[in-house]
mmCIF file of all heavy atoms in Angstrom:
data_model
loop_
_atom_site.group_PDB
_atom_site.id
_atom_site.type_symbol
_atom_site.label_atom_id
_atom_site.label_comp_id
_atom_site.label_asym_id
_atom_site.label_seq_id
_atom_site.Cartn_x
_atom_site.Cartn_y
_atom_site.Cartn_z
ATOM 1 N N ALA A 9 0.830 -1.189 -0.078
ATOM 2 C CA ALA A 9 0.007 0.008 0.017
ATOM 3 C C ALA A 9 0.895 1.258 -0.044
ATOM 4 O O ALA A 9 1.900 1.259 0.663
ATOM 5 C CB ALA A 9 -0.944 0.016 1.205
ATOM 6 N N PRO A 10 0.465 2.273 -0.736
ATOM 7 C CA PRO A 10 1.218 3.532 -0.696
ATOM 8 C C PRO A 10 1.369 4.176 0.673
ATOM 9 O O PRO A 10 2.308 4.845 0.890
ATOM 10 C CB PRO A 10 0.365 4.531 -1.581
ATOM 11 C CG PRO A 10 -0.434 3.566 -2.407
ATOM 12 C CD PRO A 10 -0.676 2.367 -1.582
ATOM 13 N N GLU A 11 0.428 3.903 1.553
ATOM 14 C CA GLU A 11 0.505 4.432 2.897
ATOM 15 C C GLU A 11 1.792 4.000 3.635
ATOM 16 O O GLU A 11 2.309 4.688 4.501
ATOM 17 C CB GLU A 11 -0.699 3.925 3.662
ATOM 18 C CG GLU A 11 -0.729 4.503 5.092
ATOM 19 C CD GLU A 11 -1.862 3.997 5.920
ATOM 20 O OE1 GLU A 11 -2.763 3.150 5.415
ATOM 21 O OE2 GLU A 11 -1.949 4.412 7.081
ATOM 22 N N VAL A 12 2.337 2.839 3.273
ATOM 23 C CA VAL A 12 3.537 2.284 3.975
ATOM 24 C C VAL A 12 4.699 3.270 3.747
ATOM 25 O O VAL A 12 5.393 3.701 4.698
ATOM 26 C CB VAL A 12 3.896 0.852 3.494
ATOM 27 C CG1 VAL A 12 5.177 0.449 4.109
ATOM 28 C CG2 VAL A 12 2.779 -0.088 3.813
ATOM 29 N N SER A 13 4.902 3.618 2.537
ATOM 30 C CA SER A 13 6.066 4.548 2.256
ATOM 31 C C SER A 13 5.761 5.946 2.874
ATOM 32 O O SER A 13 6.659 6.615 3.384
ATOM 33 C CB SER A 13 6.353 4.684 0.798
ATOM 34 O OG SER A 13 5.245 5.263 0.066
ATOM 35 N N GLN A 14 4.525 6.386 2.939
ATOM 36 C CA GLN A 14 4.156 7.622 3.610
ATOM 37 C C GLN A 14 4.449 7.629 5.117
ATOM 38 O O GLN A 14 5.053 8.610 5.622
ATOM 39 C CB GLN A 14 2.712 8.011 3.325
ATOM 40 C CG GLN A 14 2.447 8.287 1.889
ATOM 41 C CD GLN A 14 0.909 8.419 1.524
ATOM 42 O OE1 GLN A 14 0.053 8.278 2.445
ATOM 43 N NE2 GLN A 14 0.630 8.586 0.303
ATOM 44 N N GLN A 15 3.999 6.580 5.761
ATOM 45 C CA GLN A 15 4.294 6.383 7.217
ATOM 46 C C GLN A 15 5.839 6.461 7.490
ATOM 47 O O GLN A 15 6.353 7.142 8.400
ATOM 48 C CB GLN A 15 3.743 5.068 7.734
ATOM 49 C CG GLN A 15 2.235 4.999 7.767
ATOM 50 C CD GLN A 15 1.639 5.528 8.991
ATOM 51 O OE1 GLN A 15 2.351 5.991 9.981
ATOM 52 N NE2 GLN A 15 0.311 5.431 9.088
ATOM 53 N N ARG A 16 6.569 5.680 6.683
ATOM 54 C CA ARG A 16 8.036 5.674 6.842
ATOM 55 C C ARG A 16 8.673 7.027 6.542
ATOM 56 O O ARG A 16 9.587 7.565 7.283
ATOM 57 C CB ARG A 16 8.724 4.622 5.912
ATOM 58 C CG ARG A 16 8.409 3.238 6.328
ATOM 59 C CD ARG A 16 8.898 2.290 5.258
ATOM 60 N NE ARG A 16 8.723 0.935 5.711
ATOM 61 C CZ ARG A 16 8.626 -0.186 4.797
ATOM 62 N NH1 ARG A 16 8.630 0.059 3.513
ATOM 63 N NH2 ARG A 16 8.359 -1.372 5.301
ATOM 64 N N ARG A 17 8.184 7.580 5.469
ATOM 65 C CA ARG A 17 8.781 8.957 5.088
ATOM 66 C C ARG A 17 8.532 10.020 6.135
ATOM 67 O O ARG A 17 9.393 10.785 6.452
ATOM 68 C CB ARG A 17 8.220 9.443 3.717
ATOM 69 C CG ARG A 17 8.957 10.715 3.186
ATOM 70 C CD ARG A 17 8.579 10.984 1.693
ATOM 71 N NE ARG A 17 7.213 11.351 1.580
ATOM 72 C CZ ARG A 17 6.331 10.817 0.746
ATOM 73 N NH1 ARG A 17 6.694 9.826 0.010
ATOM 74 N NH2 ARG A 17 5.139 11.327 0.659
ATOM 75 N N PHE A 18 7.277 10.103 6.712
ATOM 76 C CA PHE A 18 7.039 11.057 7.786
ATOM 77 C C PHE A 18 7.847 10.791 8.937
ATOM 78 O O PHE A 18 8.591 11.770 9.563
ATOM 79 C CB PHE A 18 5.557 10.973 8.081
ATOM 80 C CG PHE A 18 5.124 12.060 9.165
ATOM 81 C CD1 PHE A 18 5.068 13.386 8.660
ATOM 82 C CD2 PHE A 18 4.835 11.748 10.388
ATOM 83 C CE1 PHE A 18 4.771 14.371 9.675
ATOM 84 C CE2 PHE A 18 4.414 12.758 11.307
ATOM 85 C CZ PHE A 18 4.472 14.077 10.861
ATOM 86 N N ARG A 19 7.996 9.533 9.472
ATOM 87 C CA ARG A 19 8.801 9.216 10.559
ATOM 88 C C ARG A 19 10.284 9.628 10.271
ATOM 89 O O ARG A 19 10.910 10.255 11.098
ATOM 90 C CB ARG A 19 8.729 7.775 10.925
ATOM 91 C CG ARG A 19 9.716 7.236 11.941
ATOM 92 C CD ARG A 19 9.814 5.715 11.948
ATOM 93 N NE ARG A 19 10.386 5.276 10.667
ATOM 94 C CZ ARG A 19 10.228 3.970 10.242
ATOM 95 N NH1 ARG A 19 9.516 3.166 10.887
ATOM 96 N NH2 ARG A 19 10.798 3.700 9.125
ATOM 97 N N ASP A 20 10.743 9.217 9.189
ATOM 98 C CA ASP A 20 12.177 9.414 8.857
ATOM 99 C C ASP A 20 12.524 10.849 8.626
ATOM 100 O O ASP A 20 13.664 11.384 8.929
ATOM 101 C CB ASP A 20 12.662 8.574 7.674
ATOM 102 C CG ASP A 20 12.605 7.079 7.965
ATOM 103 O OD1 ASP A 20 12.489 6.680 9.104
ATOM 104 O OD2 ASP A 20 12.620 6.239 7.006
ATOM 105 N N THR A 21 11.671 11.609 8.082
ATOM 106 C CA THR A 21 11.742 13.076 7.883
ATOM 107 C C THR A 21 11.878 13.789 9.202
ATOM 108 O O THR A 21 12.724 14.626 9.405
ATOM 109 C CB THR A 21 10.682 13.637 6.966
ATOM 110 O OG1 THR A 21 10.627 13.002 5.672
ATOM 111 C CG2 THR A 21 10.841 15.182 6.826
ATOM 112 N N LEU A 22 11.002 13.382 10.111
ATOM 113 C CA LEU A 22 11.090 14.058 11.435
ATOM 114 C C LEU A 22 12.353 13.576 12.160
ATOM 115 O O LEU A 22 13.013 14.435 12.761
ATOM 116 C CB LEU A 22 9.862 13.599 12.289
ATOM 117 C CG LEU A 22 8.543 14.132 11.982
ATOM 118 C CD1 LEU A 22 7.431 13.648 12.919
ATOM 119 C CD2 LEU A 22 8.562 15.702 12.087
ATOM 120 N N ARG A 23 12.771 12.339 12.036
ATOM 121 C CA ARG A 23 14.015 11.971 12.761
ATOM 122 C C ARG A 23 15.216 12.688 12.211
ATOM 123 O O ARG A 23 16.201 12.927 12.951
ATOM 124 C CB ARG A 23 14.226 10.459 12.468
ATOM 125 C CG ARG A 23 13.401 9.566 13.318
ATOM 126 C CD ARG A 23 13.663 8.117 13.002
ATOM 127 N NE ARG A 23 12.998 7.234 13.843
ATOM 128 C CZ ARG A 23 12.952 5.842 13.645
ATOM 129 N NH1 ARG A 23 13.450 5.340 12.567
ATOM 130 N NH2 ARG A 23 12.341 5.045 14.438
ATOM 131 N N ALA A 24 15.201 13.139 11.017
ATOM 132 C CA ALA A 24 16.381 13.830 10.303
ATOM 133 C C ALA A 24 16.327 15.345 10.614
ATOM 134 O O ALA A 24 17.315 15.969 10.271
ATOM 135 C CB ALA A 24 16.385 13.539 8.766
ATOM 136 N N ASP A 25 15.260 15.877 11.135
ATOM 137 C CA ASP A 25 15.111 17.312 11.137
ATOM 138 C C ASP A 25 14.612 17.786 12.546
ATOM 139 O O ASP A 25 13.371 17.944 12.711
ATOM 140 C CB ASP A 25 14.237 17.814 10.045
ATOM 141 C CG ASP A 25 14.195 19.336 9.870
ATOM 142 O OD1 ASP A 25 14.591 20.063 10.815
ATOM 143 O OD2 ASP A 25 13.705 19.718 8.845
ATOM 144 N N PRO A 26 15.427 18.142 13.448
ATOM 145 C CA PRO A 26 14.959 18.594 14.760
ATOM 146 C C PRO A 26 14.063 19.833 14.766
ATOM 147 O O PRO A 26 13.215 19.926 15.617
ATOM 148 C CB PRO A 26 16.310 18.813 15.529
ATOM 149 C CG PRO A 26 17.352 18.084 14.893
ATOM 150 C CD PRO A 26 16.894 18.033 13.379
ATOM 151 N N GLU A 27 14.386 20.686 13.825
ATOM 152 C CA GLU A 27 13.508 21.880 13.697
ATOM 153 C C GLU A 27 12.096 21.572 13.329
ATOM 154 O O GLU A 27 11.153 22.099 13.716
ATOM 155 C CB GLU A 27 14.111 22.923 12.706
ATOM 156 C CG GLU A 27 15.351 23.568 13.287
ATOM 157 C CD GLU A 27 15.050 24.283 14.603
ATOM 158 O OE1 GLU A 27 14.086 25.019 14.767
ATOM 159 O OE2 GLU A 27 15.956 23.995 15.484
ATOM 160 N N LEU A 28 11.984 20.519 12.465
ATOM 161 C CA LEU A 28 10.641 20.032 12.018
ATOM 162 C C LEU A 28 9.968 19.326 13.136
ATOM 163 O O LEU A 28 8.710 19.531 13.345
ATOM 164 C CB LEU A 28 10.777 19.127 10.803
ATOM 165 C CG LEU A 28 9.426 18.670 10.123
ATOM 166 C CD1 LEU A 28 8.743 19.885 9.568
ATOM 167 C CD2 LEU A 28 9.742 17.678 9.044
ATOM 168 N N VAL A 29 10.732 18.667 13.983
ATOM 169 C CA VAL A 29 10.098 18.062 15.228
ATOM 170 C C VAL A 29 9.586 19.145 16.110
ATOM 171 O O VAL A 29 8.439 19.029 16.634
ATOM 172 C CB VAL A 29 11.204 17.178 16.019
ATOM 173 C CG1 VAL A 29 10.621 16.749 17.299
ATOM 174 C CG2 VAL A 29 11.541 16.001 15.225
ATOM 175 N N ASN A 30 10.303 20.276 16.319
ATOM 176 C CA ASN A 30 9.826 21.431 17.087
ATOM 177 C C ASN A 30 8.592 22.009 16.482
ATOM 178 O O ASN A 30 7.652 22.309 17.193
ATOM 179 C CB ASN A 30 10.929 22.512 17.219
ATOM 180 C CG ASN A 30 12.071 21.968 18.058
ATOM 181 O OD1 ASN A 30 11.942 21.131 18.872
ATOM 182 N ND2 ASN A 30 13.205 22.607 17.874
ATOM 183 N N ALA A 31 8.510 22.163 15.199
ATOM 184 C CA ALA A 31 7.338 22.702 14.566
ATOM 185 C C ALA A 31 6.103 21.745 14.715
ATOM 186 O O ALA A 31 4.953 22.231 14.982
ATOM 187 C CB ALA A 31 7.559 22.977 13.097
ATOM 188 N N TYR A 32 6.343 20.432 14.578
ATOM 189 C CA TYR A 32 5.317 19.467 14.732
ATOM 190 C C TYR A 32 4.785 19.543 16.223
ATOM 191 O O TYR A 32 3.635 19.520 16.504
ATOM 192 C CB TYR A 32 5.815 18.074 14.338
ATOM 193 C CG TYR A 32 4.697 17.037 14.329
ATOM 194 C CD1 TYR A 32 3.503 17.255 13.877
ATOM 195 C CD2 TYR A 32 5.042 15.722 14.743
ATOM 196 C CE1 TYR A 32 2.513 16.232 13.792
ATOM 197 C CE2 TYR A 32 4.145 14.760 14.687
ATOM 198 C CZ TYR A 32 2.872 14.932 14.168
ATOM 199 O OH TYR A 32 1.929 13.939 14.125
ATOM 200 N N ALA A 33 5.728 19.601 17.165
ATOM 201 C CA ALA A 33 5.344 19.703 18.628
ATOM 202 C C ALA A 33 4.533 20.958 18.780
ATOM 203 O O ALA A 33 3.470 20.924 19.479
ATOM 204 C CB ALA A 33 6.591 19.679 19.454
ATOM 205 N N ALA A 34 4.925 22.076 18.192
ATOM 206 C CA ALA A 34 4.138 23.217 18.339
ATOM 207 C C ALA A 34 2.708 23.154 17.770
ATOM 208 O O ALA A 34 1.747 23.655 18.377
ATOM 209 C CB ALA A 34 4.820 24.487 17.758
ATOM 210 N N ARG A 35 2.595 22.398 16.631
ATOM 211 C CA ARG A 35 1.346 22.310 16.091
ATOM 212 C C ARG A 35 0.418 21.413 16.933
ATOM 213 O O ARG A 35 -0.676 21.700 17.130
ATOM 214 C CB ARG A 35 1.465 21.612 14.684
ATOM 215 C CG ARG A 35 0.181 21.269 14.036
ATOM 216 C CD ARG A 35 -0.505 22.633 13.597
ATOM 217 N NE ARG A 35 -1.880 22.351 13.306
ATOM 218 C CZ ARG A 35 -2.966 23.158 13.659
ATOM 219 N NH1 ARG A 35 -2.623 24.289 14.237
ATOM 220 N NH2 ARG A 35 -4.139 22.843 13.415
ATOM 221 N N LYS A 36 0.999 20.305 17.528
ATOM 222 C CA LYS A 36 0.226 19.482 18.422
ATOM 223 C C LYS A 36 -0.232 20.175 19.707
ATOM 224 O O LYS A 36 -1.399 20.113 20.073
ATOM 225 C CB LYS A 36 0.996 18.260 18.744
ATOM 226 C CG LYS A 36 1.275 17.278 17.592
ATOM 227 C CD LYS A 36 1.719 15.933 17.911
ATOM 228 C CE LYS A 36 3.119 15.958 18.195
ATOM 229 N NZ LYS A 36 3.614 14.561 18.423
ATOM 230 N N ARG A 37 0.623 21.054 20.252
ATOM 231 C CA ARG A 37 0.262 21.845 21.373
ATOM 232 C C ARG A 37 -0.906 22.818 20.986
ATOM 233 O O ARG A 37 -1.861 22.983 21.777
ATOM 234 C CB ARG A 37 1.388 22.630 21.946
ATOM 235 C CG ARG A 37 2.392 21.838 22.852
ATOM 236 C CD ARG A 37 3.391 22.684 23.556
ATOM 237 N NE ARG A 37 4.133 23.606 22.730
ATOM 238 C CZ ARG A 37 5.239 23.293 22.103
ATOM 239 N NH1 ARG A 37 5.776 22.099 22.271
ATOM 240 N NH2 ARG A 37 5.956 24.143 21.343
ATOM 241 N N ALA A 38 -0.788 23.421 19.825
ATOM 242 C CA ALA A 38 -1.799 24.327 19.335
ATOM 243 C C ALA A 38 -3.160 23.682 19.210
ATOM 244 O O ALA A 38 -4.207 24.153 19.570
ATOM 245 C CB ALA A 38 -1.382 24.989 18.153
ATOM 246 N N VAL A 39 -3.160 22.481 18.601
ATOM 247 C CA VAL A 39 -4.351 21.639 18.485
ATOM 248 C C VAL A 39 -5.038 21.402 19.820
ATOM 249 O O VAL A 39 -6.241 21.588 19.961
ATOM 250 C CB VAL A 39 -4.079 20.317 17.736
ATOM 251 C CG1 VAL A 39 -5.298 19.375 17.774
ATOM 252 C CG2 VAL A 39 -3.608 20.600 16.301
ATOM 253 N N LEU A 40 -4.251 20.988 20.802
ATOM 254 C CA LEU A 40 -4.790 20.688 22.120
ATOM 255 C C LEU A 40 -5.214 21.975 22.811
ATOM 256 O O LEU A 40 -6.341 22.035 23.403
ATOM 257 C CB LEU A 40 -3.760 19.995 22.950
ATOM 258 C CG LEU A 40 -3.465 18.501 22.589
ATOM 259 C CD1 LEU A 40 -2.197 18.020 23.243
ATOM 260 C CD2 LEU A 40 -4.643 17.681 22.807
ATOM 261 N N ALA A 41 -4.482 23.069 22.659
ATOM 262 C CA ALA A 41 -4.863 24.289 23.301
ATOM 263 C C ALA A 41 -6.160 24.929 22.686
ATOM 264 O O ALA A 41 -6.904 25.618 23.401
ATOM 265 C CB ALA A 41 -3.643 25.342 23.126
ATOM 266 N N ALA A 42 -6.449 24.555 21.366
ATOM 267 C CA ALA A 42 -7.664 25.001 20.743
ATOM 268 C C ALA A 42 -8.851 24.168 21.202
ATOM 269 O O ALA A 42 -9.975 24.466 20.777
ATOM 270 C CB ALA A 42 -7.510 24.891 19.178
ATOM 271 N N GLY A 43 -8.642 23.191 22.043
ATOM 272 C CA GLY A 43 -9.792 22.454 22.595
ATOM 273 C C GLY A 43 -10.029 21.038 22.024
ATOM 274 O O GLY A 43 -11.154 20.514 22.289
ATOM 275 N N ALA A 44 -9.055 20.406 21.353
ATOM 276 C CA ALA A 44 -9.275 19.017 20.996
ATOM 277 C C ALA A 44 -9.610 18.189 22.195
ATOM 278 O O ALA A 44 -8.853 18.302 23.197
ATOM 279 C CB ALA A 44 -8.041 18.473 20.283
ATOM 280 N N THR A 45 -10.688 17.438 22.159
ATOM 281 C CA THR A 45 -11.188 16.721 23.377
ATOM 282 C C THR A 45 -11.012 15.192 23.158
ATOM 283 O O THR A 45 -11.299 14.431 24.099
ATOM 284 C CB THR A 45 -12.583 17.006 23.692
ATOM 285 O OG1 THR A 45 -13.399 16.784 22.500
ATOM 286 C CG2 THR A 45 -12.753 18.567 24.063
ATOM 287 N N ASP A 46 -10.676 14.758 21.953
ATOM 288 C CA ASP A 46 -10.451 13.293 21.761
ATOM 289 C C ASP A 46 -9.432 13.059 20.639
ATOM 290 O O ASP A 46 -9.020 14.015 20.021
ATOM 291 C CB ASP A 46 -11.800 12.578 21.477
ATOM 292 C CG ASP A 46 -12.501 13.050 20.198
ATOM 293 O OD1 ASP A 46 -11.858 13.504 19.278
ATOM 294 O OD2 ASP A 46 -13.758 12.923 20.190
ATOM 295 N N GLY A 47 -9.135 11.795 20.386
ATOM 296 C CA GLY A 47 -8.206 11.456 19.386
ATOM 297 C C GLY A 47 -8.504 11.908 17.914
ATOM 298 O O GLY A 47 -7.636 12.353 17.215
ATOM 299 N N ASN A 48 -9.798 11.856 17.572
ATOM 300 C CA ASN A 48 -10.278 12.295 16.278
ATOM 301 C C ASN A 48 -9.987 13.843 16.130
ATOM 302 O O ASN A 48 -9.425 14.193 15.063
ATOM 303 C CB ASN A 48 -11.725 11.950 16.049
ATOM 304 C CG ASN A 48 -11.898 10.478 15.770
ATOM 305 O OD1 ASN A 48 -10.990 9.730 15.395
ATOM 306 N ND2 ASN A 48 -13.093 10.044 16.004
ATOM 307 N N ASP A 49 -10.360 14.583 17.095
ATOM 308 C CA ASP A 49 -10.106 16.036 16.969
ATOM 309 C C ASP A 49 -8.552 16.353 16.878
ATOM 310 O O ASP A 49 -8.164 17.106 16.078
ATOM 311 C CB ASP A 49 -10.569 16.810 18.225
ATOM 312 C CG ASP A 49 -12.095 16.786 18.458
ATOM 313 O OD1 ASP A 49 -12.821 16.455 17.455
ATOM 314 O OD2 ASP A 49 -12.576 17.044 19.550
ATOM 315 N N TYR A 50 -7.847 15.622 17.689
ATOM 316 C CA TYR A 50 -6.366 15.761 17.702
ATOM 317 C C TYR A 50 -5.734 15.409 16.294
ATOM 318 O O TYR A 50 -5.033 16.156 15.800
ATOM 319 C CB TYR A 50 -5.840 14.923 18.770
ATOM 320 C CG TYR A 50 -4.391 15.004 18.986
ATOM 321 C CD1 TYR A 50 -3.791 16.134 19.686
ATOM 322 C CD2 TYR A 50 -3.543 13.950 18.657
ATOM 323 C CE1 TYR A 50 -2.338 16.152 19.838
ATOM 324 C CE2 TYR A 50 -2.105 13.983 18.884
ATOM 325 C CZ TYR A 50 -1.649 15.016 19.498
ATOM 326 O OH TYR A 50 -0.251 15.154 19.761
ATOM 327 N N ASN A 51 -6.163 14.304 15.762
ATOM 328 C CA ASN A 51 -5.677 13.817 14.475
ATOM 329 C C ASN A 51 -6.041 14.734 13.395
ATOM 330 O O ASN A 51 -5.178 15.056 12.467
ATOM 331 C CB ASN A 51 -6.116 12.415 14.239
ATOM 332 C CG ASN A 51 -5.413 11.391 15.126
ATOM 333 O OD1 ASN A 51 -4.332 11.682 15.657
ATOM 334 N ND2 ASN A 51 -6.116 10.291 15.329
ATOM 335 N N LEU A 52 -7.271 15.189 13.300
ATOM 336 C CA LEU A 52 -7.697 16.203 12.342
ATOM 337 C C LEU A 52 -6.945 17.409 12.432
ATOM 338 O O LEU A 52 -6.538 18.042 11.394
ATOM 339 C CB LEU A 52 -9.182 16.439 12.445
ATOM 340 C CG LEU A 52 -10.115 15.379 11.982
ATOM 341 C CD1 LEU A 52 -11.561 15.645 12.355
ATOM 342 C CD2 LEU A 52 -9.948 15.027 10.527
ATOM 343 N N GLY A 53 -6.633 17.869 13.542
ATOM 344 C CA GLY A 53 -5.875 19.148 13.777
ATOM 345 C C GLY A 53 -4.376 19.074 13.258
ATOM 346 O O GLY A 53 -3.746 20.005 12.980
ATOM 347 N N LYS A 54 -3.864 17.810 13.245
ATOM 348 C CA LYS A 54 -2.470 17.585 12.837
ATOM 349 C C LYS A 54 -2.383 17.352 11.333
ATOM 350 O O LYS A 54 -1.299 17.388 10.724
ATOM 351 C CB LYS A 54 -1.916 16.437 13.541
ATOM 352 C CG LYS A 54 -1.744 16.536 15.036
ATOM 353 C CD LYS A 54 -1.042 15.325 15.637
ATOM 354 C CE LYS A 54 -1.651 13.988 15.178
ATOM 355 N NZ LYS A 54 -0.951 12.764 15.697
ATOM 356 N N ASP A 55 -3.556 17.033 10.675
ATOM 357 C CA ASP A 55 -3.534 16.518 9.329
ATOM 358 C C ASP A 55 -2.889 17.476 8.346
ATOM 359 O O ASP A 55 -2.048 17.008 7.524
ATOM 360 C CB ASP A 55 -4.963 16.324 8.906
ATOM 361 C CG ASP A 55 -5.099 15.514 7.641
ATOM 362 O OD1 ASP A 55 -4.465 14.409 7.593
ATOM 363 O OD2 ASP A 55 -5.787 15.937 6.730
#
């Protein structure tokens, strides 16, 4: 499935770029601060 390479690419891209990890962390904090109350809200906010 194409998703396999996408999962790997996302993981490996983050592993290679600490600044991108920081940006992703900031995005996740913002999603939660905006009021995400469950996993679906959280995942949609990171999409």
Side-chain angles (χ1 to χ4, degrees):
E11 181 184 359
V12 174
S13 63
Q14 293 170 2
Q15 292 270 2
R16 288 174 177 152
R17 189 169 68 233
F18 185 70
R19 174 197 63 203
D20 295 345
T21 300
L22 287 178
R23 283 178 173 170
D25 188 346
E27 289 304 314
L28 190 60
V29 171
N30 292 337
Y32 188 39
R35 179 67 198 142
K36 293 193 281 185
R37 278 192 307 273
V39 168
L40 290 167
T45 58
D46 63 26
N48 286 338
D49 293 342
Y50 182 75
N51 290 335
L52 287 172
K54 299 183 309 177
D55 194 52

